[in-house]
Amino acid sequence: MNLFGVYRVLAIVVGVLLAFCSFVALPLKYLASEGSSLQNFGEDASIMWVVHGWIFMIYVVVAFLLSRRAGWTVQFTVLALAAGLIPLLIFWVERRVAQRVRTENPELVTG
């Protein structure tokens, strides 16, 4: 798999993990009744924040390497790097990155 393919997989994984943590684990941990099975699930699922963090660090490195190869502007690079910090934003950014790479750097898509 090439750098572009790795970026796309990591973006989706980071996005799914962040959405799960933000919209499932966090609310259940803090909003469910104390001691309930839902609250316990929220506490147990909170380990996914750690998983998201580790995968996000790999995503940042891969996104940065892709940005250098594709010659993105500083603003677009920062947007791509920060996208994994705001729930659901990464899915929109991944689409913009894919469109931009296919248009401006088609050689990065195939290898």
Side-chain angles (χ1 to χ4, degrees):
M1 186 178 297
N2 62 19
L3 188 61
F4 177 65
V6 171
Y7 165 81
R8 294 195 73 197
V9 168
L10 285 171
I12 298 302
V13 170
V14 167
V16 168
L17 286 172
L18 184 58
F20 173 79
C21 290
S22 299
F23 300 125
V24 178
L26 189 72
L28 289 178
K29 181 176 180 178
Y30 293 107
L31 300 178
S33 300
E34 186 69 32
S36 69
S37 60
L38 287 176
Q39 197 250 352
N40 289 334
F41 175 77
E43 285 184 11
D44 293 341
S46 291
I47 191 67
M48 298 308 287
W49 284 109
V50 175
V51 176
H52 168 266
W54 282 103
I55 296 175
F56 177 71
M57 288 189 282
I58 297 166
Y59 164 83
V60 166
V61 170
V62 170
F64 180 77
L65 293 173
L66 181 61
S67 75
R68 296 301 92 209
R69 287 197 188 157
W72 298 343
T73 64
V74 172
Q75 294 85 356
F76 193 75
T77 300
V78 169
L79 176 65
L81 297 178
L85 299 174
I86 301 170
L88 306 180
L89 177 63
I90 198 164
F91 299 112
W92 179 80
V93 170
E94 186 275 332
R95 298 293 294 171
R96 299 294 80 75
V97 166
Q99 289 172 343
R100 190 171 195 163
V101 168
R102 285 188 179 114
T103 302
E104 297 175 6
N105 306 92
E107 70 281 359
L108 295 177
V109 175
T110 58

